[in-house]
Amino acid sequence: MIDVFVSLGSNLGNKKKNIEKAVKKIGAIENTKIEKISSLVKTKPHQAPGPNYLNGVIKIATTLSAEKLLDSLKKIETELGRKRSFKNAPRTIDLDILLYGNKKIKTKNLIVPHPKLKIRDFFKKSLLEIEPNLKLV
Ligand code: AMP
């Protein structure tokens, strides 16, 4: 099992419900279990106008590869009605892999640690809330 941190964000519809539904679906991914859930925080949208976000971070344990996990997360985004209309458009749910164990990944589809980890305040705050000993270098 590898420990993975996933961020959840919603700025459309019932944001809290969207996040709760996503957590439930993530918990139902094969060989994956939810270990910790951060509190949810309101944030302003970045790089685009639009409604505020509700954001949280979860810690999961999985045997899936990072690519397979990303596929499952994208499927959940689609199931929850996310439409990819334009870059940074409001979304019912946005799921990102922040950390995948201590692996560094750089492929066409996936960059881990997440490139915005250092610049989005809530990523760091929420990660440290659920994993106070996490080393964010
Ligand atoms: P977004 O619009 O924020 O959902 O991001 C769109 C694309 O970012 C996805 O299709 C992914 O292939 C890519 N991506 C790169 N790195 C990551 C990551 N760490 N977590 C999630 N998506 C990622």
Side-chain angles (χ1 to χ4, degrees):
M1 284 283 200
I2 297 193
D3 286 337
V4 181
F5 294 87
V6 174
S7 82
L8 303 96
S10 173
N11 77 337
L12 260 192
N14 188 329
K15 302 167 193 176
K16 188 160 180 274
K17 271 242 164 67
N18 294 336
I19 289 178
E20 285 166 358
K21 281 188 197 161
V23 171
K24 205 165 168 203
K25 283 177 180 283
I26 292 170
I29 297 173
E30 50 171 335
N31 300 317
T32 299
K33 62 174 199 262
I34 308 279
E35 305 227 294
K36 289 179 189 170
I37 305 176
S38 76
S39 30
L40 301 181
V41 292
K42 281 185 199 154
T43 66
K44 297 232 171 291
H46 42 89
Q47 297 166 345
N52 284 341
Y53 273 82
L54 195 61
N55 287 107
V57 168
I58 58 173
K59 179 184 181 185
I60 62 176
T62 187
T63 60
L64 295 188
S65 68
E67 288 284 346
K68 275 246 165 70
L69 178 64
L70 180 68
D71 286 346
S72 300
L73 296 178
K74 283 187 180 171
K75 197 166 149 244
I76 292 172
E77 287 181 341
T78 306
E79 284 169 6
L80 288 179
R82 173 156 174 194
K83 306 211 168 37
R84 292 179 180 273
S85 45
F86 57 90
K87 194 169 159 53
N88 296 318
R91 63 273 311 260
T92 45
I93 197 77
D94 183 33
L95 302 171
D96 287 327
I97 299 175
L98 299 182
L99 295 167
Y100 182 89
N102 49 19
K103 278 214 172 142
K104 287 202 164 73
I105 303 167
K106 212 167 210 167
T107 65
K108 189 165 62 69
N109 297 319
L110 191 57
I111 305 174
V112 178
H114 193 286
K116 303 267 168 68
L117 192 59
K118 296 231 174 88
I119 51 176
R120 269 186 223 160
D121 230 26
F122 88 86
F123 279 169
K124 276 188 288 187
K125 278 196 189 140
S126 305
L127 278 172
L128 291 173
E129 178 196 350
I130 54 175
E131 197 82 345
N133 295 326
L134 196 67
K135 298 265 177 298
L136 290 171
V137 282

